[in-house]
Amino acid sequence: DDFEEHRQAFPGRPLELARFWTDMSGSFEILPDAHRGGHSLQQRCPEMPVTWVNDELPMTLLGDSNWKDISVSAHTYGHAFLGARSMWSPASYQAKKGCGVYLGIHGDHWALGFSMEAVTRGSFARMGPVPKTQSNLTGDTGSGSVDGELVFEHVRVPTCAGWIALVAGSYAEDSARFD
């Protein structure tokens, strides 16, 4: 999503709401971004709300629950996770536990997880202040990078389908930003 064009294309819609995104837990809003300039999607909920399935982390979803082969990327800031094949909804979570591939970054560390349980992790030699996180999933194989540095490759991933997910590492305001 281009958060700059969105603010001009929908003059009657609240400027803080991102089109196509569905907040499952927490509250994500479009706000000015002091780190990169322009605007970014930011988690703003200061504490854990009442949730459907005891969501531990704030999450917003995009796309279609049938997406399988996908490449997704975002510039991230803070404690952030970029997810694909996510099945995180009241109707499907219990039946699809074990689904979802998440690449998270926090400081100079990264972690790859399935259903938010870490599978492998590492650290960066060097990373920009607002790194670009990317995951590519095809069939049962996945790869991912942060700022162009390959952090996992040829990893067997769950073959389920699901949405793109942006996940903040906590319910603290401004704990994560995505662009």
Side-chain angles (χ1 to χ4, degrees):
D1 198 340
D2 184 334
F3 300 121
E4 302 306 314
E5 287 181 19
H6 165 70
R7 294 178 65 83
Q8 296 152 6
F10 297 94
R13 183 184 171 116
L15 298 178
E16 297 82 21
L17 300 179
R19 63 182 174 170
F20 308 125
W21 294 95
T22 301
D23 294 349
M24 295 304 294
S25 184
S27 176
F28 292 78
E29 298 177 5
I30 300 171
L31 295 170
D33 190 330
H35 297 279
R36 290 179 39 109
H39 294 83
S40 63
L41 192 64
Q42 300 175 26
Q43 197 296 122
R44 302 298 295 168
C45 190
E47 59 187 51
M48 186 173 176
V50 175
T51 62
W52 288 95
V53 290
N54 221 7
D55 294 326
E56 294 178 20
L57 298 174
M59 176 183 293
T60 188
L61 301 175
L62 167 74
D64 188 301
S65 63
N66 296 311
W67 284 356
K68 290 183 181 180
D69 294 346
I70 191 165
S71 179
V72 59
S73 66
H75 287 276
T76 56
Y77 176 82
H79 191 180
F81 298 86
L82 178 64
R85 296 182 181 171
S86 180
M87 290 300 287
W88 210 276
S89 72
S92 63
Y93 175 71
Q94 298 302 328
K96 297 289 186 176
K97 192 163 180 156
C99 194
V101 178
Y102 300 88
L103 177 57
I105 57 172
H106 188 221
D108 63 351
H109 290 80
W110 62 270
L112 171 66
F114 304 148
S115 283
M116 300 303 288
E117 293 179 23
V119 175
T120 186
R121 60 184 75 221
S123 60
F124 305 103
R126 198 178 67 186
M127 182 175 68
V130 186
K132 181 178 181 181
T133 305
Q134 181 167 344
S135 291
N136 304 298
L137 307 176
T138 304
D140 66 350
T141 305
S143 64
S145 63
V146 177
D147 271 355
E149 180 182 333
L150 197 61
V151 294
F152 69 94
E153 183 177 34
H154 304 299
V155 172
R156 291 188 62 84
V157 296
T159 57
C160 52
W163 293 276
I164 292 171
L166 302 180
V167 185
S170 78
Y171 278 100
E173 281 189 55
D174 201 20
S175 61
R177 297 178 189 186
F178 304 88
D179 193 8

